[in-house]
Amino acid sequence: MTEDTKRHRREVLKLGAAAGAAGTVGLGRMAVGAGDSHTTPAALPDRDPPREYENYRTRRVPEDHDTIQAAVSAANPRDLVLIGPGRYTEEVRVLDTPDITIRGRDRNRVVLDGEGTRYNGIIALADGVVMENLTATGYAYNAFYWTGVDGYRGSSLTAVNNGDYGLYAFDSVNGRFEHSYAAGHPDSGFYIGQSNPSHARVENVVAERNGIGYSGTNAGGNLVLRDSVWRHNMGGIVPNTLDSEALAPQSAMRIENNEVHDNNNADAPAKAFGYAAFGTGINVAGGRDNEIVDNDVTGHINFGIGAVPMIDANLWRPGGNRVHDNRVADSGRADLALGAPARGGNRFANNDVSSSRPGSLTDDGMLGDLMTDIGDPWITLSLGKQYLQAELGEYPHGDWRDGPAPPTRKPMPNPERPPREAVGPRRD
Amino acid sequence: MASDTRADDAGGRSRSVRRLVGGQRHSARTTALAVVLALLCGAYAAWLLADFGLRWPALLAVAVLAGVFFYSRRTPAAMLASGFYGLAVLVVLTPIVLDLAFVFAADGYGITPWPFVLSLADLVFLGVFVALALILSAIGFVISRRADAGNETDSEDAAVPEG
C-alpha cells in the first residue's frame, strides 16, 4: 500500500468516524471501547543530548546539487544536506537513507513551496532523519512528515498554509518537535499519531490559526507536550482516540506548562474534527491516563480543559485523566469539563478555576467522586452538535490557501554546525 | 391574647398556602411524589442554566414553583402527568438554551454567533429534542386520560343507586 493510499484510507475512515460521532442516536448499538490503557507512564524520562556525528559529508544545495532531492538521493547515512536561501518547488522524499539531516542555512529564506499541488514538503520513511531551520508552505498534505520511523526530529521549522498537517509523525517513535512554528493547517499544526509508547517530546513550539494546534490520535506513553504556545486555533490541544488508527485508546500523555489561549478562531482552516473542538483549550477526546499539569488556559467560549467521550466504531470514554495545578479562566461554558459518559477515575485537583461542568467536579467528597465518574452530557451535546454541523458541511472556517505569508521566525544558531542524532539516548 | 394572635396568624398562613396549592391536601406518599417531581424539574433546569452561572437559583426557583404546581393537582396521576409535561417543556428548551449560552457569550470572544447556531445541525438537534419532548408529553397525556377515565368510572359507580 502506498503512502497516499494509506493516507486516503485513513481520511476515509476518519470521515466515517465523524459520521459515527454525529449519530449519537445509534449509541445503543455501539460497542464500548474496552481496550486496556497502555502501561507506559505519561512522563518522559530524561535523555542525554543528541550526539554530533563525526564522519559525515556536507552536501550543499544548490552548490553541489541542483535540487534538495538530488542531494538527499546522493546522501549517505549521517550526511548533512545544507540548503542555501531560495524558493524550492519540489517534494523531497527520504526513502531509505537513515540519519541524514536536511537543514536550511536560513530558516526564513529557505522556502519549500508546494504551489498548492505537491503532496508533502519533506517525507521521511527512514529512521533518524532530522529536518531543521527551513520553511515549507503550499503543500496539499503536509509540510514535514515522518512515517513508520524510529528516531525523528524537527527543529526550528516553519510550516505555514498546507492542506493537512504542519509537523506530522505517524507510526513513529523516539522523536522531538522543538522551536518550530505551524500555522494555517486544516487538520493540525503538530500531530503525533498511532504511537504508544511514543518516547517523544514536543516543546517550545507555537501553533496558531490551525484547525487544531496539537492533535494526537492514539499517541501516548512517554509523550510530553510542554513549554509551548497554542493560540487562535479552532481548538487548542486535542489528544484523541480513533478506531481508524491502531493502538486505541489514546493514553498516557503529559501536557505541561503550556500557554493555551483564545482557541476560538472561526477564520482558521478546519476539517470536521477540528471544528468539533472549536472553543476548547485542552480537550482529551476519549483518552485515558493523561496528565494535564500547570498550564495557563484562557479565553475559550466552550471550555478550558476537558475530557469528552469519543464516538467512532467504538465508544471511547475518558478515564483516569489527572488534571491538576492548572490556571483556567474566562471560559464560556465552564473552565473544567468532563463529558458523559465517562469511564471513571478522572481527577481534577488544585486547579485555579471558577466553574466546572458537572458542578461538583472539583469537590473532594463523595459527590465529586461521583461526578468525575459520570461526567456531564451537556459537554458532549455541545461538542457533538459542532461535530454534526461540520459533518453536514456548513461550518464557519477559512481556507488554508488564503492564509497570510509565513512570518519571520527565530532561526537556529550556527546552521553550519555538524549534524546530530535525532534524539539522544534514553536514560531508563 | 398574644397566643390567640399567633394562632390566628398561623391559621392565616396555612389558609394562604392552601389557596396557593388549590386547596389540596395530600397524603405523605403523594406529597413525596410532588417533591420528587419538583426536584427532578429543578435539577434539569439547574443543568440547563449552568452555563449562565444560574445553577442554584434555577434549582431553587423551578423546584419551588413546580412543587407548588404539582401539589395543587387533584390526584397523584394528575401530578405525574404534569411532571411529564414539565419535563417535556424543559427538554424542548435544551437545544435552545445550548445555543443561547453560545450566543450570549460570543461577543466577549469576538465571535459572530449566527453561523454557529443557525445551521442545519441546530435544526436536527431541535427536531430530536422535540421528538423526545413529544414522547414525554404523550406519556403525560396517557396518564392523564387514564386518570380521568378512572375518575369517570368512579363517578358512575357512585351514581348507581343502592338496592
Side-chain angles (χ1 to χ4, degrees):
Chain A
M1 197 184 289
T2 67
E3 273 311 304
D4 289 343
T5 313
K6 279 199 308 199
R7 187 191 169 286
H8 177 69
R9 181 173 165 271
R10 282 202 303 277
E11 276 307 308
V12 170
L13 287 167
K14 266 193 183 178
L15 287 175
T24 48
V25 178
L27 255 178
R29 289 185 287 112
M30 286 182 184
V32 174
D36 289 331
S37 295
H38 303 272
T39 51
T40 308
L44 182 67
D46 286 339
R47 289 176 182 274
D48 292 326
R51 293 164 298 199
E52 289 186 350
Y53 295 132
E54 290 177 357
N55 300 313
Y56 68 93
R57 177 177 165 185
T58 300
R59 298 175 178 276
R60 293 179 183 270
V61 180
E63 292 86 346
D64 303 331
H65 302 273
D66 290 339
T67 63
I68 304 168
Q69 183 63 62
V72 164
S73 299
N76 293 310
R78 295 185 295 282
D79 279 1
L80 169 65
V81 174
L82 193 60
I83 310 162
R87 179 168 160 266
Y88 297 84
T89 52
E90 58 179 306
E91 177 174 348
V92 180
R93 293 166 182 253
V94 186
L95 299 178
D96 49 16
T97 311
D99 302 327
I100 66 170
T101 297
I102 302 171
R103 180 189 296 162
R105 276 164 43 206
D106 184 324
R107 175 178 179 175
N108 300 300
R109 293 198 300 143
V110 176
V111 180
L112 279 74
D113 191 343
E115 297 180 305
T117 55
R118 294 176 193 87
Y119 291 151
N120 301 288
I122 305 176
I123 178 171
L125 285 79
D127 295 342
V129 172
V130 173
M131 307 180 198
E132 293 179 322
N133 205 43
L134 45 86
T135 294
T137 186
Y139 286 89
Y141 290 169
N142 314 295
F144 306 102
Y145 181 22
W146 295 258
T147 179
V149 303
D150 184 349
Y152 62 92
R153 176 158 53 85
S155 304
S156 301
L157 295 173
T158 299
V160 174
N161 303 336
N162 300 283
D164 215 344
Y165 300 102
L167 277 71
Y168 178 18
F170 179 75
D171 187 26
S172 299
V173 296
N174 293 311
R176 178 175 289 204
F177 293 152
E178 60 184 2
H179 304 294
S180 293
Y181 173 83
H185 300 95
D187 213 316
S188 67
F190 295 85
Y191 181 91
I192 295 178
Q194 191 178 296
S195 172
N196 196 326
S198 290
H199 302 296
R201 188 181 285 261
V202 179
E203 61 187 354
N204 298 306
V205 304
V206 176
E208 61 184 355
R209 231 176 10 84
N210 302 284
I212 298 173
Y214 168 87
S215 171
T217 302
N218 305 349
N222 287 168
L223 174 59
V224 175
L225 191 68
R226 61 173 302 155
D227 305 332
S228 297
V229 178
W230 314 90
R231 64 190 179 204
H232 303 297
N233 304 284
M234 280 215 177
I237 299 172
V238 188
N240 59 84
T241 299
L242 284 174
D243 290 294
S244 50
E245 293 183 10
L247 305 178
Q250 184 281 331
S251 69
M253 176 181 184
R254 186 174 174 90
I255 300 169
E256 183 175 6
N257 192 37
N258 294 280
E259 188 184 311
V260 186
H261 67 90
D262 301 303
N263 292 288
N264 317 289
N265 186 352
D267 295 326
K271 295 183 175 175
F273 192 79
Y275 182 73
F278 181 88
T280 63
I282 301 174
N283 181 358
V284 177
R288 298 179 190 170
D289 303 325
N290 297 287
E291 298 171 6
I292 300 169
V293 187
D294 195 26
N295 299 283
D296 286 294
V297 183
T298 58
H300 298 96
I301 193 167
N302 277 318
F303 57 81
I305 301 178
V308 298
M310 187 72 198
I311 305 166
D312 198 348
N314 291 294
L315 168 64
W316 297 100
R317 296 170 298 155
N321 298 294
R322 293 174 295 285
V323 179
H324 60 90
D325 298 296
N326 299 283
R327 295 156 297 281
V328 191
D330 192 21
S331 307
R333 296 191 191 278
D335 286 339
L336 297 179
L338 178 64
R343 192 168 187 261
N346 299 288
R347 290 291 172 266
F348 297 77
N350 298 328
N351 297 289
D352 183 3
V353 299
S354 59
S355 60
S356 74
R357 291 200 75 139
S360 304
L361 203 56
T362 53
D363 291 358
D364 288 334
M366 208 168 69
L367 188 59
D369 287 348
L370 186 67
M371 290 299 132
T372 55
D373 286 345
I374 295 173
D376 186 339
W378 188 262
I379 303 303
T380 315
L381 276 180
S382 58
L383 298 189
K385 198 213 80 172
Q386 288 180 183
Y387 215 134
L388 178 62
Q389 187 182 354
E391 278 307 297
L392 294 172
E394 45 154 357
Y395 57 102
H397 64 285
D399 190 319
W400 62 271
R401 296 169 193 85
D402 299 337
T408 300
R409 305 293 304 180
K410 187 180 170 188
M412 73 177 281
N414 188 15
E416 300 281 343
R417 68 180 291 182
R420 296 179 301 155
E421 294 173 316
V423 290
R426 288 209 306 266
R427 293 182 200 156
D428 51 9
Chain B
M1 189 70 178
S3 65
D4 286 350
T5 309
R6 275 200 298 274
D8 286 349
D9 285 351
R13 275 199 300 274
S14 174
R15 277 192 296 279
S16 300
V17 170
R18 247 311 181 86
R19 270 201 300 277
L20 196 65
V21 296
Q24 300 298 334
R25 291 189 77 163
H26 291 296
S27 67
R29 206 168 151 184
T30 311
T31 304
L33 176 65
V35 168
V36 167
L37 288 172
L39 284 176
L40 203 60
C41 288
Y44 198 114
W47 178 71
L48 212 55
L49 295 174
D51 281 0
F52 296 96
L54 297 173
R55 191 177 272 132
W56 293 109
L59 174 65
L60 198 67
V62 174
V64 168
L65 290 175
V68 168
F69 180 74
F70 294 147
Y71 195 85
S72 71
R73 304 292 88 189
R74 278 183 55 222
T75 62
M79 242 178 232
L80 201 56
S82 299
F84 275 101
Y85 289 142
L87 284 174
V89 169
L90 290 168
V91 166
V92 166
L93 288 174
T94 303
I96 297 166
V97 176
L98 191 73
D99 279 349
L100 274 183
F102 191 97
V103 169
F104 281 116
D107 192 42
Y109 297 90
I111 296 169
T112 306
W114 311 119
F116 292 86
V117 298
L118 299 177
S119 70
L120 184 57
D122 293 281
L123 209 57
V124 170
F125 256 52
L126 187 62
V128 168
F129 280 88
V130 166
L132 286 173
L134 284 174
I135 292 169
L136 289 171
S137 302
I139 294 170
F141 183 71
V142 168
I143 292 170
S144 175
R145 284 297 296 268
R146 282 193 180 167
D148 289 347
N151 287 341
E152 280 169 21
T153 310
D154 289 347
S155 304
E156 285 165 11
D157 288 348
V160 175
E162 286 182 14

